Every structure is written in C-alpha cells, then in structure tokens.
Amino acid sequence: MKPSEQCKAAGLDSLAELVRITEVSEQTLINWHRNKPKLFRTTVLGAVRVKELRHAH
C-alpha cells in the first residue's frame, strides 16, 4: 500500500494532510514508510487522533 493510500485508509484526507499535521516533510514520511514502517504507521495513527480531537472542539 502506498503512503497516501495508508493515510486515507486510516482516516486522513491525503499524505499532504499528514504533512500538515506532523510538520514533517513529505519526503521524510515517504522514507519512513519505506524504511521504518512502524514509525510511519504510528505517525499516521497519531495524526488521525489529532484530526479527531480538532473536530471535537
């Protein structure tokens, strides 16, 4: 699954939304997806939680 597809499957709009929430560059996130998949997944899940909390307020 591509990084953008993983973001969407988790509940984000896109990889760009992950970049906005985390303030981590797109290239770094792509590298994490390739080389550190657990870090990428954890980052995605954290961003989903941040998004949920933003919408709750």
Side-chain angles (χ1 to χ4, degrees):
M1 188 179 298
K2 294 179 183 179
S4 59
E5 293 170 340
Q6 196 167 336
C7 289
K8 290 176 185 177
L12 298 175
D13 295 333
S14 62
L15 182 59
E17 184 174 29
L18 182 61
V19 170
R20 285 192 302 274
I21 291 171
T22 63
E23 298 181 357
V24 174
S25 75
E26 182 176 330
Q27 188 59 56
T28 296
L29 292 167
I30 291 168
N31 291 343
W32 289 356
H33 180 265
R34 185 183 318 111
N35 301 317
K36 299 179 180 183
K38 288 182 182 179
L39 176 59
F40 182 80
R41 180 70 178 149
T42 302
T43 303
V44 169
L45 293 175
V48 169
R49 185 65 179 136
V50 168
K51 182 177 180 176
E52 291 170 351
L53 291 171
R54 285 181 181 169
H55 287 296
H57 292 114

